[in-house]
Amino acid sequence: MTYLYLKAFHIIFVVSWFAGLFYLPRLFVNHAMAEDEASQARLALMERKLFRFMTPLAVLALGFGSWLWLGYGVSGGWLHAKLTLVAVLIAYHLYCGKLLRDFAAGRNVRSHRWYRVFNEIPVLILFAVVILVVVKPF
Ligand code: HEM
C-alpha cells in the first residue's frame, strides 16, 4: 500500500515538474523574439519565478523516485536506462537555469529556432522514460 502511495506521489511531482520543463523553454522562445525592453524584463521575471517553483518539484519527484528504488530494491535494465535519461533531464534543468541567467544579463546569443528545438528534448525524454517504466522492455 505504502509503495503505491509513494508511486502516486512520484507521478504527481514528475507531472508537475514537466509542466515547467515544457513551459520554461517556451518562454525562452518568446524571449528570443522579444524586441522591446519591457517584454524582455517581464519574460525574465516569469522565467525566474517559474524556475524557482520547478526546482523543489524536481527534488520531490527525484526524492520519491529514489525512495521507491532504494527503499524497495527495485532493479532491472529498464531502471538503469531510465536513470541515465533522468541524469540528462537533471542536466537539462540545470542548463535552463544557466540560460535564464544569460537572458536576465542580456547575454542570450541563440535564436528562437534554437529554443524551439531545445524545447523538444524533454518531450523525447518523457516518451522514452514512460515506455521504459511501463513496458519494462529489458
Ligand atoms: C531519481 C530519479 C528516479 C528514480 C530513482 C525513479 C524510480 C522509480 C521507481 C523505482 C518506480 C517504480 C516502478 C515500478 O513499480 O514498476 C518509478 C515509477 C515511475 N516513474 Fe520514476 N524514478 C525517477 C525519476 C522519474 C522521472 C524523471 C520520470 C519521468 C520522466 C519518472 C516516471 C515514472 C513513472 C511514470 C512511473 C510509474 C510507472 C508505473 O506505472 O509503474 N520517474 N520510478
Side-chain angles (χ1 to χ4, degrees):
M1 196 59 166
T2 320
Y3 182 81
L4 292 178
Y5 273 107
L6 290 178
K7 189 143 85 172
F9 282 110
H10 178 52
I11 295 169
I12 290 164
F13 289 113
V14 164
V15 170
S16 314
W17 180 23
F18 265 89
L21 288 171
F22 289 154
Y23 190 45
L24 182 58
R26 183 60 232 183
L27 288 175
F28 293 157
V29 171
N30 289 287
H31 203 151
M33 291 196 307
E35 279 166 10
D36 61 298
E37 256 176 50
S39 311
Q40 289 181 4
R42 194 173 56 245
L43 285 159
L45 183 71
M46 289 169 76
E47 289 157 8
R48 198 174 73 237
K49 287 191 168 174
L50 178 60
F51 190 70
R52 221 185 267 163
F53 196 68
M54 282 163 66
T55 304
L57 295 172
V59 170
L60 285 164
L62 299 171
F64 278 106
S66 304
W67 193 347
L68 287 168
W69 170 31
L70 303 168
Y72 292 83
V74 179
S75 62
W78 62 274
L79 185 66
H80 288 124
K82 169 182 169 170
L83 291 177
T84 306
L85 292 172
V86 171
V88 176
L89 202 61
I90 294 168
Y92 184 91
H93 180 107
L94 296 173
Y95 190 60
C96 281
K98 181 217 178 293
L99 290 172
L100 78 86
R101 283 189 296 276
D102 284 350
F103 267 118
R107 284 198 308 257
N108 172 52
V109 289
R110 307 193 195 278
S111 69
H112 69 93
R113 255 185 218 112
W114 190 88
Y115 289 106
R116 281 174 207 276
V117 175
F118 181 70
N119 202 178
E120 300 308 322
I121 294 172
V123 179
L124 299 176
I125 294 180
L126 183 63
F127 266 84
V129 169
V130 172
I131 291 170
L132 281 168
V133 293
V134 174
V135 180
K136 298 188 175 65
F138 47 85

